[in-house]
Amino acid sequence: QVQLAESGGGSVQPGDSLRLTCVASGRYVNSYAMGWFRQTPGKEREVVSVINWRVSQYYYSSSVEGRFTASRDIAKNTVYLQMNNLKPEDTAVYYCASGPWPLRSINVKSWGQGTLVTVSS
């Protein structure tokens, strides 16, 4: 089973930046899709970015496009999420995920433990 571990969360002010890291390990390291999701209290877990691993296609939700950038390091089986110009509404627990393509919250096979991002003045 693929295991995922996120890191890089923290408490920052609006306009600041953070970089999240997700390292994949286990027997099945390769995946057709990986991505980032986030969740706040009282709301459903929502997609932030998804990656078609095989063809290196990146997709972003409209709320973060232009501010967030996902990337990968194939040799390290690692994905990143560079978050710039953070806003209070970005506050959430961020989860790394892997599974089939197209990747959706309902077909995710592996979840990370989550890392908290808090944006406040």
Side-chain angles (χ1 to χ4, degrees), residues 4 8 96:
L4 305 174
C96 184

Side-chain angles (χ1 to χ4, degrees), residues 3-66:
Q3 300 174 56
L4 305 174
E6 313 99 325
S7 62
S11 181
V12 299
Q13 295 182 332
D16 286 350
S17 298
L18 283 173
R19 189 186 191 187
L20 305 184
T21 299
C22 174
V23 180
S25 61
R27 179 176 296 182
Y28 302 101
V29 175
N30 292 336
S31 176
Y32 286 103
M34 296 188 71
W36 293 94
F37 295 74
R38 67 186 183 186
Q39 187 169 26
T40 57
K43 296 184 178 181
E44 296 182 351
R45 190 168 298 185
E46 65 177 4
V47 64
V48 176
S49 177
V50 293
I51 305 168
N52 185 315
W53 193 265
R54 185 171 61 86
V55 300
S56 189
Q57 294 180 335
Y58 296 78
Y59 302 86
Y60 303 92
S61 68
S62 60
S63 62
V64 307
E65 190 165 18

Side-chain angles (χ1 to χ4, degrees), residues 48 59-70 82-87:
V48 176
Y59 302 86
Y60 303 92
S61 68
S62 60
S63 62
V64 307
E65 190 165 18
R67 299 186 298 118
F68 292 9
T69 303
Q82 178 66 45
M83 304 184 294
N84 296 327
N85 192 24
L86 284 161
K87 302 177 179 180

Side-chain angles (χ1 to χ4, degrees), residues 74-118:
I74 297 176
K76 296 181 178 180
N77 290 303
T78 300
V79 296
Y80 306 91
L81 185 67
Q82 178 66 45
M83 304 184 294
N84 296 327
N85 192 24
L86 284 161
K87 302 177 179 180
E89 52 264 41
D90 295 319
T91 297
V93 176
Y94 284 72
Y95 298 89
C96 184
S98 68
W101 183 261
L103 187 64
R104 301 171 294 176
S105 61
I106 60 173
N107 65 9
V108 167
K109 299 301 180 183
S110 298
W111 291 102
Q113 82 288 346
T115 185
L116 177 63
V117 173
T118 302

